[in-house]
Amino acid sequence: MARPCPALRKPLSASFFSTATPRRPFPCNFFKQPSSTSLSRVKQTRSKSSGSFGHERRTAANLFILKGFIAINVAVFGFNIYTGVQAKQGYVDNFRKYIQNMTLNLRDFKNGYFWEPLTCIFAHADLMHIGFNMFTFWSLGRGLCMLPVTPGQFTFIVLGSGLAGSLSWLAQKQMRVQTGLESPNTPQRAMGFSGALMGTISVVASFMPREKIYFFGVVPVPLWLCVVGYGVYDGYYVNSEVSRTAHSGHLGGLAFGLAYYFLRLRRLRFPGSI
């Protein structure tokens, strides 16, 4: 998520909480879609409680919001490419403004750029980065669309998880500054949708823990194990000096999704929920 950004000599490369070409989320063949039996179970459950028409309208609204989030990410990425091309031609003002406003930095945040934790969610470093994030969000986000969540709850899960990831990263950076491990003027910056993505995955896994995803299209892994695995992995490397991924951001998004499910959504009736 974060890496030193000396002037404009080379473009940023950071996954939401990563400084290299993102190793996570997953490759484009990482998932198969949820099974038809699981999706039909969702439809049957909602039909019994609120009628099929109501469920269809809610699902359609959630899908519209999901597509809207993807469209925003693509639009911001397109603008990033445009300003990058301008910078290479010598017109660097727009690129500097983009970096200043659309990526997250501890010093900038303290100096009043309080919108950065939100705007950085929609910025991406390169085509592979946005491709992995958007494909995974589309794959598992559609499952969330069909679950018993309202459009408002769907939006809150995505934005809340992203903001939680940003703030978790800022908190860790501040702790490192206070302990003398980093300079208060650190140039490291962060961007990406991974925090929001982790929160989305955690909510889907809470509703359908036994639903399987297929690693590389071959190895079946239940969603609950995927979430636990990511939590353990990020927790193990959260203070690593070697890893170029800011694992605190992933943990923040993951924790928000789980907290919102258990505090707000768990009361909703759905077969298989934890």
Side-chain angles (χ1 to χ4, degrees):
M1 167 183 180
R3 67 173 293 178
C5 181
L8 298 170
R9 282 179 249 180
K10 56 181 178 179
L12 291 181
S13 175
S15 71
F16 183 49
F17 312 115
S18 169
T19 60
T21 300
R23 298 186 180 92
R24 300 180 302 133
F26 320 112
C28 58
N29 63 345
F30 217 69
F31 298 109
K32 288 184 179 178
Q33 299 303 322
S35 63
S36 58
T37 55
S38 297
L39 297 182
S40 62
R41 189 171 73 240
V42 177
K43 292 179 180 179
Q44 292 171 3
T45 303
R46 298 307 298 158
S47 297
K48 292 178 182 178
S49 60
S50 61
S52 59
F53 180 69
H55 167 66
E56 290 174 358
R57 290 184 60 185
R58 178 175 297 182
T59 299
N62 286 339
L63 282 170
F64 179 80
I65 295 171
L66 182 147
K67 294 175 183 177
F69 278 126
I70 293 177
I72 293 172
N73 278 277
V74 172
V76 171
F77 182 69
F79 185 71
N80 180 23
I81 294 175
Y82 173 71
T83 58
V85 171
Q86 282 188 319
K88 291 178 181 179
Q89 296 174 347
Y91 304 97
V92 299
D93 288 345
N94 286 336
F95 184 69
R96 283 177 175 156
K97 290 178 182 178
Y98 174 85
I99 297 301
Q100 190 87 61
N101 290 281
M102 297 300 296
T103 64
L104 182 61
N105 175 265
L106 179 62
R107 180 180 58 185
D108 286 352
F109 181 76
K110 290 181 176 181
N111 289 336
Y113 289 79
F114 300 126
W115 53 87
E116 287 184 352
L118 177 62
T119 56
C120 76
I121 300 171
F122 302 102
H124 290 84
D126 51 45
L127 186 61
M128 184 176 293
H129 183 199
I130 190 173
F132 287 172
N133 275 343
M134 294 303 100
F135 179 84
T136 308
F137 184 56
W138 174 252
S139 298
L140 290 177
R142 284 186 293 174
L144 181 60
C145 289
M146 300 193 70
L147 290 168
V149 297
T150 66
Q153 290 170 334
F154 183 93
T155 303
F156 187 73
I157 290 167
V158 175
L159 294 182
S161 299
L163 283 171
S166 297
L167 296 177
S168 295
W169 183 81
L170 287 173
Q172 188 194 34
K173 302 301 288 185
Q174 179 62 26
M175 290 175 60
R176 291 179 63 85
V177 169
Q178 290 177 343
T179 55
L181 296 176
E182 288 189 17
S183 166
N185 296 320
T186 175
Q188 290 182 328
R189 312 193 73 90
M191 65 174 74
F193 204 70
S194 298
L197 188 60
M198 294 302 293
T200 301
I201 293 173
S202 68
V203 174
V204 176
S206 297
F207 274 111
M208 298 188 294
R210 297 178 182 84
E211 185 63 24
K212 292 181 174 60
I213 59 175
Y214 289 79
F215 281 73
F216 305 104
V218 177
V219 183
V221 178
L223 274 174
W224 72 265
L225 183 58
C226 180
V227 171
V228 171
Y230 269 89
V232 172
Y233 175 80
D234 284 317
Y236 182 80
Y237 286 104
V238 68
N239 292 313
S240 174
E241 297 289 344
V242 178
S243 176
R244 300 178 68 186
T245 300
H247 301 277
S248 57
H250 293 151
L251 289 172
L254 187 66
F256 181 89
L258 291 174
Y260 187 66
Y261 170 79
F262 282 104
L263 295 176
R264 183 70 178 88
L265 301 178
R266 192 180 185 185
R267 62 183 180 81
L268 301 176
R269 292 185 177 181
F270 184 78
S273 299
I274 59 175

